[in-house]
Amino acid sequence: MTRTPPTSAVLTDAITLKPARPDHFDLAFTATTQPCPWPKAYGGDLVAQAAAAAMRSVTDGKSLHSMHSYFLRPADIGAEVRYEVEVVRDGRGYSTRQVRGYQNGKPLYVCLAGFAAGEAGAAFHTAFDEDVPGPEDLSTSADYLAGRAGGSMTEESRAYWSGGRGFDMRHVPGPVYLTVEGERLPHQAVWLRPFDPLRPVDGLTDAQRDLAALAYVCDYTILEPVLRVLDLAWAEPGLVTASLDHAMWFHRPGPVDGWLLYVQEAVAADAGRGLGTGRFFTRDHRHLATVVQEGLIRPT
């Protein structure tokens, strides 16, 4: 059987929206969740699609600077989600949008998104960790999983982790697919880049597409430092995880077609919930974005 080569079209297909007639707010779009081997759609689909919807509602050149999201219900896989955008405020320097996602007649996602015109000011960002090995020195997910088996992993989930997510991901100190590779420390880093150059997306500039790409890919691994410190792997039989709420700040523009370093840390875990943080850096040390996410973590 010939396998389809991994492609970043998974992302660009996810953030390709169709205009629709609004039922509740000012504008509406529809988008389709992408295939994955779990009972519910990937949460990054919702964040990225909502980001795209919000950006398409801002026409005066302001750039997305923050998103604050809640995941209300699971989304069906391969099904249409309707995003309704409320124009909350348009100011000279800043604008605000509310986006709600609906499926099967029920709200499943809501966020507030902030946009900024930008102005002159001093610059600062946290330091890039020079000690992290480069991506060329690390195994791909496909190489790591080749010939391995265990836990709840299926051929479908192996293929998804190996090449079905649109991005090549390489872990430091090691992945947490079947077992927790490396020490049980509350931090990790992931090098990532699209499997091939990102395609144009109707209704978005390339810069807007790249912001949506960060919103899309951030959710795949943000809870992994929490899993790592709890000694839980994704293939742990009976493990249930879900995104609960999410915040993201976009500090400065930068291309997403090259390697990015996603530095992550576990902040807390208790009562079936875990909180993780993440920072995206380019290879030339620019800090592009910061993520904070809380998720459900329910072992057997």
Short mmCIF file of all heavy atoms in Angstrom, two decimals, residues 41-83:
data_model
loop_
_atom_site.label_atom_id
_atom_site.label_comp_id
_atom_site.label_asym_id
_atom_site.label_seq_id
_atom_site.Cartn_x
_atom_site.Cartn_y
_atom_site.Cartn_z
N ALA A 41 -12.49 15.73 17.93
CA ALA A 41 -11.59 16.48 17.08
C ALA A 41 -10.47 17.14 17.89
O ALA A 41 -10.59 17.36 19.10
CB ALA A 41 -12.37 17.55 16.31
N TYR A 42 -9.39 17.44 17.22
CA TYR A 42 -8.23 18.10 17.83
C TYR A 42 -8.59 19.53 18.22
O TYR A 42 -9.12 20.31 17.42
CB TYR A 42 -7.08 18.06 16.83
CG TYR A 42 -5.91 18.94 17.14
CD1 TYR A 42 -5.25 18.86 18.36
CD2 TYR A 42 -5.44 19.87 16.20
CE1 TYR A 42 -4.16 19.67 18.64
CE2 TYR A 42 -4.35 20.68 16.47
CZ TYR A 42 -3.72 20.57 17.69
OH TYR A 42 -2.64 21.37 17.98
N GLY A 43 -8.26 19.92 19.47
CA GLY A 43 -8.61 21.25 19.96
C GLY A 43 -7.95 22.38 19.20
O GLY A 43 -8.51 23.48 19.09
N GLY A 44 -6.75 22.14 18.66
CA GLY A 44 -6.08 23.18 17.88
C GLY A 44 -6.84 23.57 16.63
O GLY A 44 -6.70 24.70 16.15
N ASP A 45 -7.64 22.65 16.07
CA ASP A 45 -8.51 23.02 14.95
C ASP A 45 -9.41 24.18 15.34
O ASP A 45 -9.56 25.16 14.59
CB ASP A 45 -9.41 21.84 14.56
CG ASP A 45 -8.74 20.83 13.64
OD1 ASP A 45 -7.56 21.02 13.32
OD2 ASP A 45 -9.41 19.86 13.27
N LEU A 46 -10.02 24.09 16.53
CA LEU A 46 -10.97 25.11 16.95
C LEU A 46 -10.28 26.45 17.19
O LEU A 46 -10.78 27.50 16.79
CB LEU A 46 -11.70 24.65 18.21
CG LEU A 46 -12.40 23.28 18.14
CD1 LEU A 46 -13.14 23.00 19.44
CD2 LEU A 46 -13.35 23.20 16.96
N VAL A 47 -9.13 26.42 17.88
CA VAL A 47 -8.41 27.66 18.17
C VAL A 47 -7.98 28.34 16.87
O VAL A 47 -8.17 29.55 16.69
CB VAL A 47 -7.20 27.40 19.07
CG1 VAL A 47 -6.47 28.70 19.38
CG2 VAL A 47 -7.62 26.73 20.37
N ALA A 48 -7.40 27.57 15.96
CA ALA A 48 -6.91 28.15 14.71
C ALA A 48 -8.05 28.63 13.83
O ALA A 48 -7.96 29.69 13.18
CB ALA A 48 -6.05 27.13 13.97
N GLN A 49 -9.13 27.88 13.77
CA GLN A 49 -10.27 28.30 12.96
C GLN A 49 -10.92 29.56 13.53
O GLN A 49 -11.30 30.47 12.78
CB GLN A 49 -11.28 27.16 12.86
CG GLN A 49 -10.78 26.00 12.02
CD GLN A 49 -11.62 24.74 12.15
OE1 GLN A 49 -12.54 24.65 12.97
NE2 GLN A 49 -11.30 23.74 11.34
N ALA A 50 -11.03 29.64 14.85
CA ALA A 50 -11.57 30.85 15.47
C ALA A 50 -10.64 32.04 15.24
O ALA A 50 -11.10 33.17 15.00
CB ALA A 50 -11.77 30.63 16.97
N ALA A 51 -9.32 31.80 15.30
CA ALA A 51 -8.37 32.88 15.02
C ALA A 51 -8.55 33.38 13.59
O ALA A 51 -8.54 34.60 13.34
CB ALA A 51 -6.94 32.38 15.24
N ALA A 52 -8.70 32.45 12.64
CA ALA A 52 -8.90 32.84 11.24
C ALA A 52 -10.18 33.64 11.08
O ALA A 52 -10.22 34.65 10.37
CB ALA A 52 -8.91 31.60 10.35
N ALA A 53 -11.26 33.19 11.74
CA ALA A 53 -12.53 33.90 11.65
C ALA A 53 -12.41 35.31 12.23
O ALA A 53 -12.89 36.28 11.63
CB ALA A 53 -13.62 33.12 12.38
N ALA A 54 -11.77 35.43 13.39
CA ALA A 54 -11.60 36.75 13.99
C ALA A 54 -10.75 37.65 13.10
O ALA A 54 -11.07 38.84 12.90
CB ALA A 54 -10.96 36.60 15.37
N MET A 55 -9.65 37.13 12.54
CA MET A 55 -8.79 37.95 11.70
C MET A 55 -9.50 38.41 10.43
O MET A 55 -9.28 39.53 9.96
CB MET A 55 -7.50 37.18 11.37
CG MET A 55 -6.54 37.06 12.53
SD MET A 55 -4.92 36.38 12.12
CE MET A 55 -5.32 34.63 11.91
N ARG A 56 -10.38 37.57 9.89
CA ARG A 56 -11.10 37.97 8.69
C ARG A 56 -12.13 39.06 8.96
O ARG A 56 -12.61 39.70 8.03
CB ARG A 56 -11.76 36.74 8.05
CG ARG A 56 -10.74 35.83 7.39
CD ARG A 56 -11.35 34.65 6.68
NE ARG A 56 -12.22 35.01 5.58
CZ ARG A 56 -12.63 34.15 4.64
NH1 ARG A 56 -12.20 32.89 4.66
NH2 ARG A 56 -13.45 34.54 3.67
N SER A 57 -12.43 39.31 10.23
CA SER A 57 -13.39 40.36 10.58
C SER A 57 -12.73 41.71 10.83
O SER A 57 -13.42 42.70 11.03
CB SER A 57 -14.19 39.95 11.82
OG SER A 57 -13.41 40.11 13.01
N VAL A 58 -11.40 41.75 10.83
CA VAL A 58 -10.66 42.99 11.11
C VAL A 58 -10.04 43.46 9.80
O VAL A 58 -9.19 42.77 9.23
CB VAL A 58 -9.58 42.76 12.18
CG1 VAL A 58 -8.75 44.02 12.41
CG2 VAL A 58 -10.22 42.32 13.49
N THR A 59 -10.46 44.62 9.33
CA THR A 59 -10.07 45.07 7.99
C THR A 59 -9.24 46.34 7.98
O THR A 59 -9.00 46.90 6.92
CB THR A 59 -11.34 45.29 7.14
OG1 THR A 59 -12.17 46.26 7.77
CG2 THR A 59 -12.11 43.99 6.98
N ASP A 60 -8.80 46.80 9.15
CA ASP A 60 -8.05 48.06 9.19
C ASP A 60 -6.56 47.87 9.47
O ASP A 60 -5.87 48.81 9.86
CB ASP A 60 -8.65 49.00 10.24
CG ASP A 60 -8.63 48.42 11.65
OD1 ASP A 60 -8.14 47.28 11.82
OD2 ASP A 60 -9.12 49.09 12.58
N GLY A 61 -6.05 46.64 9.29
CA GLY A 61 -4.62 46.40 9.40
C GLY A 61 -4.13 46.02 10.77
O GLY A 61 -2.94 45.72 10.94
N LYS A 62 -5.00 46.00 11.78
CA LYS A 62 -4.55 45.57 13.11
C LYS A 62 -4.20 44.09 13.08
O LYS A 62 -4.78 43.30 12.34
CB LYS A 62 -5.63 45.82 14.16
CG LYS A 62 -5.97 47.29 14.41
CD LYS A 62 -6.91 47.40 15.60
CE LYS A 62 -7.40 48.84 15.81
NZ LYS A 62 -8.45 49.19 14.82
N SER A 63 -3.25 43.70 13.97
CA SER A 63 -2.78 42.32 14.03
C SER A 63 -3.25 41.65 15.32
O SER A 63 -3.31 42.28 16.39
CB SER A 63 -1.25 42.29 13.98
OG SER A 63 -0.76 40.97 14.02
N LEU A 64 -3.56 40.37 15.21
CA LEU A 64 -3.96 39.59 16.38
C LEU A 64 -2.85 39.59 17.43
O LEU A 64 -1.71 39.23 17.12
CB LEU A 64 -4.27 38.16 15.94
CG LEU A 64 -4.71 37.16 17.02
CD1 LEU A 64 -6.06 37.55 17.61
CD2 LEU A 64 -4.78 35.75 16.42
N HIS A 65 -3.17 39.98 18.67
CA HIS A 65 -2.14 39.97 19.71
C HIS A 65 -2.49 39.02 20.86
O HIS A 65 -1.61 38.65 21.64
CB HIS A 65 -1.86 41.38 20.25
CG HIS A 65 -2.92 41.95 21.15
ND1 HIS A 65 -2.99 41.65 22.50
CD2 HIS A 65 -3.94 42.79 20.91
CE1 HIS A 65 -4.01 42.30 23.04
NE2 HIS A 65 -4.61 42.98 22.10
N SER A 66 -3.76 38.60 21.01
CA SER A 66 -4.07 37.66 22.09
C SER A 66 -5.38 36.95 21.81
O SER A 66 -6.24 37.47 21.10
CB SER A 66 -4.14 38.38 23.44
OG SER A 66 -5.25 39.27 23.48
N MET A 67 -5.50 35.75 22.39
CA MET A 67 -6.74 34.97 22.36
C MET A 67 -6.93 34.32 23.72
O MET A 67 -5.96 33.85 24.33
CB MET A 67 -6.68 33.86 21.30
CG MET A 67 -6.67 34.32 19.88
SD MET A 67 -6.68 32.90 18.75
CE MET A 67 -8.35 32.28 18.98
N HIS A 68 -8.17 34.29 24.19
CA HIS A 68 -8.50 33.65 25.45
C HIS A 68 -9.72 32.75 25.19
O HIS A 68 -10.80 33.26 24.87
CB HIS A 68 -8.79 34.69 26.54
CG HIS A 68 -7.62 35.59 26.80
ND1 HIS A 68 -6.71 35.35 27.81
CD2 HIS A 68 -7.18 36.70 26.17
CE1 HIS A 68 -5.78 36.29 27.79
NE2 HIS A 68 -6.04 37.12 26.80
N SER A 69 -9.52 31.46 25.33
CA SER A 69 -10.50 30.49 24.83
C SER A 69 -11.00 29.54 25.92
O SER A 69 -10.27 29.23 26.86
CB SER A 69 -9.86 29.62 23.72
OG SER A 69 -9.29 30.41 22.70
N TYR A 70 -12.23 29.07 25.73
CA TYR A 70 -12.80 27.98 26.53
C TYR A 70 -13.35 26.92 25.58
O TYR A 70 -14.01 27.25 24.59
CB TYR A 70 -13.92 28.48 27.46
CG TYR A 70 -13.41 29.12 28.72
CD1 TYR A 70 -13.13 30.48 28.75
CD2 TYR A 70 -13.18 28.36 29.87
CE1 TYR A 70 -12.65 31.08 29.90
CE2 TYR A 70 -12.70 28.95 31.03
CZ TYR A 70 -12.44 30.31 31.05
OH TYR A 70 -11.95 30.90 32.19
N PHE A 71 -13.06 25.66 25.91
CA PHE A 71 -13.60 24.53 25.17
C PHE A 71 -14.80 24.00 25.94
O PHE A 71 -14.66 23.54 27.07
CB PHE A 71 -12.53 23.44 25.03
CG PHE A 71 -11.28 23.91 24.32
CD1 PHE A 71 -10.26 24.54 25.03
CD2 PHE A 71 -11.13 23.74 22.96
CE1 PHE A 71 -9.12 24.99 24.39
CE2 PHE A 71 -9.99 24.18 22.30
CZ PHE A 71 -8.98 24.80 23.02
N LEU A 72 -15.97 24.08 25.35
CA LEU A 72 -17.21 23.80 26.06
C LEU A 72 -17.71 22.37 25.85
O LEU A 72 -18.26 21.75 26.77
CB LEU A 72 -18.30 24.78 25.61
CG LEU A 72 -17.93 26.26 25.67
CD1 LEU A 72 -19.09 27.11 25.17
CD2 LEU A 72 -17.51 26.67 27.07
N ARG A 73 -17.56 21.85 24.65
CA ARG A 73 -18.01 20.50 24.30
C ARG A 73 -17.03 19.89 23.31
O ARG A 73 -16.36 20.62 22.56
CB ARG A 73 -19.40 20.53 23.64
CG ARG A 73 -20.55 20.92 24.56
CD ARG A 73 -21.87 20.90 23.78
NE ARG A 73 -23.01 21.12 24.66
CZ ARG A 73 -23.50 22.32 24.98
NH1 ARG A 73 -22.93 23.42 24.46
NH2 ARG A 73 -24.53 22.43 25.78
N PRO A 74 -16.97 18.56 23.23
CA PRO A 74 -16.15 17.93 22.18
C PRO A 74 -16.72 18.24 20.80
O PRO A 74 -17.94 18.38 20.63
CB PRO A 74 -16.25 16.44 22.50
CG PRO A 74 -16.74 16.35 23.90
CD PRO A 74 -17.58 17.56 24.14
N ALA A 75 -15.83 18.34 19.81
CA ALA A 75 -16.24 18.56 18.42
C ALA A 75 -16.16 17.25 17.65
O ALA A 75 -15.25 16.45 17.86
CB ALA A 75 -15.36 19.61 17.77
N ASP A 76 -17.11 17.03 16.75
CA ASP A 76 -17.09 15.85 15.89
C ASP A 76 -15.97 15.97 14.87
O ASP A 76 -15.66 17.06 14.37
CB ASP A 76 -18.43 15.69 15.15
CG ASP A 76 -19.58 15.40 16.09
OD1 ASP A 76 -19.32 14.88 17.20
OD2 ASP A 76 -20.74 15.68 15.72
N ILE A 77 -15.39 14.84 14.50
CA ILE A 77 -14.28 14.80 13.56
C ILE A 77 -14.81 14.82 12.12
O ILE A 77 -15.79 14.16 11.80
CB ILE A 77 -13.43 13.53 13.79
CG1 ILE A 77 -12.82 13.56 15.18
CG2 ILE A 77 -12.34 13.41 12.72
CD1 ILE A 77 -12.22 12.24 15.60
N GLY A 78 -14.14 15.60 11.27
CA GLY A 78 -14.53 15.66 9.87
C GLY A 78 -15.87 16.31 9.65
O GLY A 78 -16.52 16.07 8.62
N ALA A 79 -16.31 17.14 10.58
CA ALA A 79 -17.62 17.76 10.51
C ALA A 79 -17.48 19.28 10.53
O ALA A 79 -16.49 19.82 10.99
CB ALA A 79 -18.50 17.30 11.67
N GLU A 80 -18.51 19.94 10.05
CA GLU A 80 -18.49 21.40 9.95
C GLU A 80 -18.75 22.05 11.31
O GLU A 80 -19.61 21.62 12.07
CB GLU A 80 -19.56 21.83 8.95
CG GLU A 80 -19.52 23.29 8.57
CD GLU A 80 -20.51 23.61 7.47
OE1 GLU A 80 -21.68 23.91 7.80
OE2 GLU A 80 -20.11 23.53 6.28
N VAL A 81 -17.98 23.08 11.60
CA VAL A 81 -18.20 23.94 12.76
C VAL A 81 -18.54 25.33 12.24
O VAL A 81 -17.90 25.83 11.29
CB VAL A 81 -16.96 24.00 13.67
CG1 VAL A 81 -17.21 24.91 14.87
CG2 VAL A 81 -16.57 22.61 14.15
N ARG A 82 -19.53 25.93 12.83
CA ARG A 82 -19.95 27.28 12.43
C ARG A 82 -19.40 28.28 13.45
O ARG A 82 -19.63 28.15 14.65
CB ARG A 82 -21.48 27.35 12.41
CG ARG A 82 -22.06 28.71 12.03
CD ARG A 82 -23.58 28.68 12.19
NE ARG A 82 -24.18 29.89 11.67
CZ ARG A 82 -24.50 30.08 10.40
NH1 ARG A 82 -24.30 29.11 9.52
NH2 ARG A 82 -25.04 31.22 10.00
N TYR A 83 -18.65 29.27 12.97
CA TYR A 83 -18.04 30.29 13.83
C TYR A 83 -18.76 31.61 13.61
O TYR A 83 -18.81 32.12 12.49
CB TYR A 83 -16.55 30.43 13.53
CG TYR A 83 -15.76 29.20 13.89
CD1 TYR A 83 -15.53 28.19 12.95
CD2 TYR A 83 -15.28 29.00 15.18
CE1 TYR A 83 -14.83 27.05 13.28
CE2 TYR A 83 -14.58 27.86 15.52
CZ TYR A 83 -14.37 26.88 14.57
OH TYR A 83 -13.68 25.74 14.90
#
